[in-house]
PDB file of all heavy atoms in Angstrom:
ATOM      1  N   ILE A 137      23.551  43.647 -13.364  1.00 94.00           N
ATOM      2  CA  ILE A 137      22.240  43.205 -13.817  1.00 94.00           C
ATOM      3  C   ILE A 137      21.627  44.201 -14.801  1.00 94.00           C
ATOM      4  O   ILE A 137      20.830  43.843 -15.668  1.00 94.00           O
ATOM      5  CB  ILE A 137      21.314  43.004 -12.596  1.00 94.00           C
ATOM      6  CG1 ILE A 137      20.002  42.318 -12.991  1.00 94.00           C
ATOM      7  CG2 ILE A 137      20.998  44.326 -11.921  1.00 94.00           C
ATOM      8  CD1 ILE A 137      20.172  40.877 -13.307  1.00 94.00           C
ATOM      9  N   LEU A 138      22.025  45.457 -14.693  1.00 94.00           N
ATOM     10  CA  LEU A 138      21.452  46.499 -15.540  1.00 94.00           C
ATOM     11  C   LEU A 138      21.952  46.422 -16.983  1.00 94.00           C
ATOM     12  O   LEU A 138      21.471  47.164 -17.838  1.00 94.00           O
ATOM     13  CB  LEU A 138      21.742  47.882 -14.953  1.00 94.00           C
ATOM     14  CG  LEU A 138      21.224  48.120 -13.530  1.00 94.00           C
ATOM     15  CD1 LEU A 138      21.460  49.549 -13.098  1.00 94.00           C
ATOM     16  CD2 LEU A 138      19.741  47.757 -13.414  1.00 94.00           C
ATOM     17  N   GLU A 139      22.896  45.519 -17.247  1.00 94.00           N
ATOM     18  CA  GLU A 139      23.362  45.310 -18.613  1.00 94.00           C
ATOM     19  C   GLU A 139      22.425  44.417 -19.423  1.00 94.00           C
ATOM     20  O   GLU A 139      22.585  44.305 -20.639  1.00 94.00           O
ATOM     21  CB  GLU A 139      24.765  44.690 -18.602  1.00 94.00           C
ATOM     22  CG  GLU A 139      25.837  45.581 -17.994  1.00 94.00           C
ATOM     23  CD  GLU A 139      27.181  44.882 -17.887  1.00 94.00           C
ATOM     24  OE1 GLU A 139      27.369  43.860 -18.590  1.00 94.00           O
ATOM     25  OE2 GLU A 139      28.025  45.335 -17.103  1.00 94.00           O
ATOM     26  N   LEU A 140      21.440  43.809 -18.763  1.00 94.00           N
ATOM     27  CA  LEU A 140      20.515  42.950 -19.494  1.00 94.00           C
ATOM     28  C   LEU A 140      19.735  43.772 -20.523  1.00 94.00           C
ATOM     29  O   LEU A 140      19.383  44.929 -20.264  1.00 94.00           O
ATOM     30  CB  LEU A 140      19.533  42.275 -18.526  1.00 94.00           C
ATOM     31  CG  LEU A 140      20.107  41.190 -17.612  1.00 94.00           C
ATOM     32  CD1 LEU A 140      19.040  40.687 -16.657  1.00 94.00           C
ATOM     33  CD2 LEU A 140      20.665  40.031 -18.439  1.00 94.00           C
ATOM     34  N   PRO A 141      19.468  43.198 -21.686  1.00 92.00           N
ATOM     35  CA  PRO A 141      18.776  43.954 -22.734  1.00 92.00           C
ATOM     36  C   PRO A 141      17.338  44.285 -22.362  1.00 92.00           C
ATOM     37  O   PRO A 141      16.713  43.599 -21.540  1.00 92.00           O
ATOM     38  CB  PRO A 141      18.832  43.010 -23.946  1.00 92.00           C
ATOM     39  CG  PRO A 141      18.990  41.644 -23.368  1.00 92.00           C
ATOM     40  CD  PRO A 141      19.805  41.828 -22.120  1.00 92.00           C
ATOM     41  N   ASN A 142      16.827  45.358 -22.979  1.00 91.00           N
ATOM     42  CA  ASN A 142      15.432  45.773 -22.830  1.00 91.00           C
ATOM     43  C   ASN A 142      15.037  46.090 -21.393  1.00 91.00           C
ATOM     44  O   ASN A 142      13.865  45.967 -21.014  1.00 91.00           O
ATOM     45  CB  ASN A 142      14.482  44.702 -23.403  1.00 91.00           C
ATOM     46  CG  ASN A 142      14.781  44.370 -24.847  1.00 91.00           C
ATOM     47  OD1 ASN A 142      15.007  45.261 -25.664  1.00 91.00           O
ATOM     48  ND2 ASN A 142      14.827  43.079 -25.166  1.00 91.00           N
ATOM     49  N   GLY A 143      16.019  46.477 -20.578  1.00 91.00           N
ATOM     50  CA  GLY A 143      15.722  46.860 -19.199  1.00 91.00           C
ATOM     51  C   GLY A 143      15.276  45.725 -18.310  1.00 91.00           C
ATOM     52  O   GLY A 143      14.682  45.957 -17.243  1.00 91.00           O
ATOM     53  N   ALA A 144      15.567  44.481 -18.695  1.00 92.00           N
ATOM     54  CA  ALA A 144      15.100  43.321 -17.931  1.00 92.00           C
ATOM     55  C   ALA A 144      15.699  43.267 -16.525  1.00 92.00           C
ATOM     56  O   ALA A 144      15.122  42.657 -15.615  1.00 92.00           O
ATOM     57  CB  ALA A 144      15.434  42.034 -18.691  1.00 92.00           C
ATOM     58  N   GLY A 145      16.851  43.890 -16.330  1.00 94.00           N
ATOM     59  CA  GLY A 145      17.505  43.820 -15.023  1.00 94.00           C
ATOM     60  C   GLY A 145      16.866  44.689 -13.965  1.00 94.00           C
ATOM     61  O   GLY A 145      17.088  44.477 -12.764  1.00 94.00           O
ATOM     62  N   TYR A 146      16.055  45.665 -14.370  1.00 94.00           N
ATOM     63  CA  TYR A 146      15.501  46.594 -13.386  1.00 94.00           C
ATOM     64  C   TYR A 146      14.498  45.919 -12.454  1.00 94.00           C
ATOM     65  O   TYR A 146      14.340  46.335 -11.307  1.00 94.00           O
ATOM     66  CB  TYR A 146      14.868  47.792 -14.092  1.00 94.00           C
ATOM     67  CG  TYR A 146      15.907  48.768 -14.592  1.00 94.00           C
ATOM     68  CD1 TYR A 146      16.375  48.700 -15.896  1.00 94.00           C
ATOM     69  CD2 TYR A 146      16.445  49.738 -13.745  1.00 94.00           C
ATOM     70  CE1 TYR A 146      17.351  49.575 -16.356  1.00 94.00           C
ATOM     71  CE2 TYR A 146      17.420  50.626 -14.190  1.00 94.00           C
ATOM     72  CZ  TYR A 146      17.865  50.533 -15.491  1.00 94.00           C
ATOM     73  OH  TYR A 146      18.842  51.403 -15.935  1.00 94.00           O
ATOM     74  N   MET A 147      13.824  44.875 -12.921  1.00 94.00           N
ATOM     75  CA  MET A 147      12.919  44.138 -12.046  1.00 94.00           C
ATOM     76  C   MET A 147      13.686  43.487 -10.904  1.00 94.00           C
ATOM     77  O   MET A 147      13.265  43.512  -9.744  1.00 94.00           O
ATOM     78  CB  MET A 147      12.145  43.092 -12.847  1.00 94.00           C
ATOM     79  CG  MET A 147      11.140  42.285 -12.029  1.00 94.00           C
ATOM     80  SD  MET A 147      11.854  40.766 -11.303  1.00 94.00           S
ATOM     81  CE  MET A 147      12.076  39.771 -12.781  1.00 94.00           C
ATOM     82  N   TRP A 148      14.866  42.935 -11.224  1.00 96.00           N
ATOM     83  CA  TRP A 148      15.709  42.324 -10.199  1.00 96.00           C
ATOM     84  C   TRP A 148      16.227  43.382  -9.231  1.00 96.00           C
ATOM     85  O   TRP A 148      16.306  43.155  -8.018  1.00 96.00           O
ATOM     86  CB  TRP A 148      16.871  41.582 -10.858  1.00 96.00           C
ATOM     87  CG  TRP A 148      16.455  40.387 -11.646  1.00 96.00           C
ATOM     88  CD1 TRP A 148      15.961  40.375 -12.929  1.00 96.00           C
ATOM     89  CD2 TRP A 148      16.456  39.024 -11.207  1.00 96.00           C
ATOM     90  NE1 TRP A 148      15.670  39.092 -13.320  1.00 96.00           N
ATOM     91  CE2 TRP A 148      15.970  38.237 -12.289  1.00 96.00           C
ATOM     92  CE3 TRP A 148      16.841  38.386 -10.035  1.00 96.00           C
ATOM     93  CZ2 TRP A 148      15.851  36.856 -12.208  1.00 96.00           C
ATOM     94  CZ3 TRP A 148      16.744  37.011  -9.950  1.00 96.00           C
ATOM     95  CH2 TRP A 148      16.248  36.257 -11.021  1.00 96.00           C
ATOM     96  N   LEU A 149      16.580  44.544  -9.761  1.00 96.00           N
ATOM     97  CA  LEU A 149      17.045  45.642  -8.913  1.00 96.00           C
ATOM     98  C   LEU A 149      15.945  46.095  -7.963  1.00 96.00           C
ATOM     99  O   LEU A 149      16.175  46.279  -6.761  1.00 96.00           O
ATOM    100  CB  LEU A 149      17.501  46.819  -9.776  1.00 96.00           C
ATOM    101  CG  LEU A 149      17.819  48.130  -9.032  1.00 96.00           C
ATOM    102  CD1 LEU A 149      18.983  47.937  -8.063  1.00 96.00           C
ATOM    103  CD2 LEU A 149      18.119  49.245 -10.029  1.00 96.00           C
ATOM    104  N   ARG A 150      14.724  46.274  -8.472  1.00 96.00           N
ATOM    105  CA  ARG A 150      13.618  46.734  -7.634  1.00 96.00           C
ATOM    106  C   ARG A 150      13.332  45.746  -6.511  1.00 96.00           C
ATOM    107  O   ARG A 150      13.079  46.137  -5.371  1.00 96.00           O
ATOM    108  CB  ARG A 150      12.367  46.939  -8.495  1.00 96.00           C
ATOM    109  CG  ARG A 150      12.478  48.077  -9.488  1.00 96.00           C
ATOM    110  CD  ARG A 150      11.114  48.451 -10.045  1.00 96.00           C
ATOM    111  NE  ARG A 150      10.491  47.375 -10.791  1.00 96.00           N
ATOM    112  CZ  ARG A 150      10.644  47.165 -12.093  1.00 96.00           C
ATOM    113  NH1 ARG A 150      11.443  47.964 -12.803  1.00 96.00           N
ATOM    114  NH2 ARG A 150      10.013  46.187 -12.710  1.00 96.00           N
ATOM    115  N   THR A 151      13.384  44.454  -6.842  1.00 96.00           N
ATOM    116  CA  THR A 151      13.114  43.428  -5.827  1.00 96.00           C
ATOM    117  C   THR A 151      14.157  43.474  -4.713  1.00 96.00           C
ATOM    118  O   THR A 151      13.817  43.438  -3.520  1.00 96.00           O
ATOM    119  CB  THR A 151      13.090  42.029  -6.474  1.00 96.00           C
ATOM    120  OG1 THR A 151      12.065  41.977  -7.463  1.00 96.00           O
ATOM    121  CG2 THR A 151      12.839  40.954  -5.430  1.00 96.00           C
ATOM    122  N   ALA A 152      15.435  43.566  -5.076  1.00 97.00           N
ATOM    123  CA  ALA A 152      16.512  43.602  -4.077  1.00 97.00           C
ATOM    124  C   ALA A 152      16.427  44.889  -3.254  1.00 97.00           C
ATOM    125  O   ALA A 152      16.648  44.867  -2.029  1.00 97.00           O
ATOM    126  CB  ALA A 152      17.871  43.496  -4.772  1.00 97.00           C
ATOM    127  N   PHE A 153      16.120  46.001  -3.900  1.00 97.00           N
ATOM    128  CA  PHE A 153      16.030  47.279  -3.197  1.00 97.00           C
ATOM    129  C   PHE A 153      14.889  47.262  -2.182  1.00 97.00           C
ATOM    130  O   PHE A 153      15.054  47.706  -1.038  1.00 97.00           O
ATOM    131  CB  PHE A 153      15.824  48.399  -4.208  1.00 97.00           C
ATOM    132  CG  PHE A 153      15.818  49.781  -3.616  1.00 97.00           C
ATOM    133  CD1 PHE A 153      16.976  50.334  -3.079  1.00 97.00           C
ATOM    134  CD2 PHE A 153      14.653  50.539  -3.596  1.00 97.00           C
ATOM    135  CE1 PHE A 153      16.970  51.610  -2.537  1.00 97.00           C
ATOM    136  CE2 PHE A 153      14.640  51.814  -3.055  1.00 97.00           C
ATOM    137  CZ  PHE A 153      15.804  52.358  -2.523  1.00 97.00           C
ATOM    138  N   LEU A 154      13.739  46.747  -2.569  1.00 97.00           N
ATOM    139  CA  LEU A 154      12.599  46.674  -1.644  1.00 97.00           C
ATOM    140  C   LEU A 154      12.928  45.779  -0.456  1.00 97.00           C
ATOM    141  O   LEU A 154      12.560  46.095   0.682  1.00 97.00           O
ATOM    142  CB  LEU A 154      11.358  46.165  -2.373  1.00 97.00           C
ATOM    143  CG  LEU A 154      10.087  46.034  -1.512  1.00 97.00           C
ATOM    144  CD1 LEU A 154       9.711  47.368  -0.895  1.00 97.00           C
ATOM    145  CD2 LEU A 154       8.935  45.465  -2.344  1.00 97.00           C
ATOM    146  N   GLU A 155      13.627  44.682  -0.688  1.00 96.00           N
ATOM    147  CA  GLU A 155      14.020  43.798   0.420  1.00 96.00           C
ATOM    148  C   GLU A 155      14.889  44.546   1.419  1.00 96.00           C
ATOM    149  O   GLU A 155      14.748  44.378   2.639  1.00 96.00           O
ATOM    150  CB  GLU A 155      14.758  42.577  -0.125  1.00 96.00           C
ATOM    151  CG  GLU A 155      13.869  41.575  -0.844  1.00 96.00           C
ATOM    152  CD  GLU A 155      14.658  40.424  -1.446  1.00 96.00           C
ATOM    153  OE1 GLU A 155      15.910  40.432  -1.352  1.00 96.00           O
ATOM    154  OE2 GLU A 155      14.031  39.505  -2.021  1.00 96.00           O
ATOM    155  N   MET A 156      15.795  45.382   0.935  1.00 96.00           N
ATOM    156  CA  MET A 156      16.669  46.145   1.827  1.00 96.00           C
ATOM    157  C   MET A 156      15.879  47.191   2.604  1.00 96.00           C
ATOM    158  O   MET A 156      16.119  47.410   3.797  1.00 96.00           O
ATOM    159  CB  MET A 156      17.794  46.792   1.021  1.00 96.00           C
ATOM    160  CG  MET A 156      18.770  45.798   0.441  1.00 96.00           C
ATOM    161  SD  MET A 156      20.186  46.561  -0.374  1.00 96.00           S
ATOM    162  CE  MET A 156      21.018  45.106  -1.033  1.00 96.00           C
ATOM    163  N   ILE A 157      14.935  47.841   1.950  1.00 97.00           N
ATOM    164  CA  ILE A 157      14.084  48.824   2.623  1.00 97.00           C
ATOM    165  C   ILE A 157      13.305  48.147   3.758  1.00 97.00           C
ATOM    166  O   ILE A 157      13.244  48.660   4.885  1.00 97.00           O
ATOM    167  CB  ILE A 157      13.108  49.481   1.636  1.00 97.00           C
ATOM    168  CG1 ILE A 157      13.864  50.293   0.586  1.00 97.00           C
ATOM    169  CG2 ILE A 157      12.100  50.375   2.373  1.00 97.00           C
ATOM    170  CD1 ILE A 157      14.662  51.434   1.123  1.00 97.00           C
ATOM    171  N   MET A 158      12.720  46.999   3.460  1.00 96.00           N
ATOM    172  CA  MET A 158      11.926  46.298   4.472  1.00 96.00           C
ATOM    173  C   MET A 158      12.800  45.787   5.608  1.00 96.00           C
ATOM    174  O   MET A 158      12.362  45.753   6.768  1.00 96.00           O
ATOM    175  CB  MET A 158      11.152  45.145   3.823  1.00 96.00           C
ATOM    176  CG  MET A 158      10.202  45.570   2.711  1.00 96.00           C
ATOM    177  SD  MET A 158       9.085  46.940   3.181  1.00 96.00           S
ATOM    178  CE  MET A 158       8.064  46.094   4.405  1.00 96.00           C
ATOM    179  N   LEU A 159      14.027  45.399   5.302  1.00 96.00           N
ATOM    180  CA  LEU A 159      14.958  44.980   6.341  1.00 96.00           C
ATOM    181  C   LEU A 159      15.212  46.118   7.325  1.00 96.00           C
ATOM    182  O   LEU A 159      15.125  45.937   8.547  1.00 96.00           O
ATOM    183  CB  LEU A 159      16.276  44.529   5.713  1.00 96.00           C
ATOM    184  CG  LEU A 159      17.424  44.224   6.683  1.00 96.00           C
ATOM    185  CD1 LEU A 159      17.106  42.998   7.521  1.00 96.00           C
ATOM    186  CD2 LEU A 159      18.739  44.040   5.934  1.00 96.00           C
TER     187      LEU A 159
END
Side-chain angles (χ1 to χ4, degrees):
I137 190 73
L138 302 185
E139 296 175 18
L140 289 176
N142 304 316
Y146 283 95
M147 181 270 289
W148 293 81
L149 171 63
R150 293 195 297 271
T151 300
F153 184 68
L154 180 59
E155 287 176 357
M156 292 186 184
I157 296 298
M158 301 310 292
L159 173 67

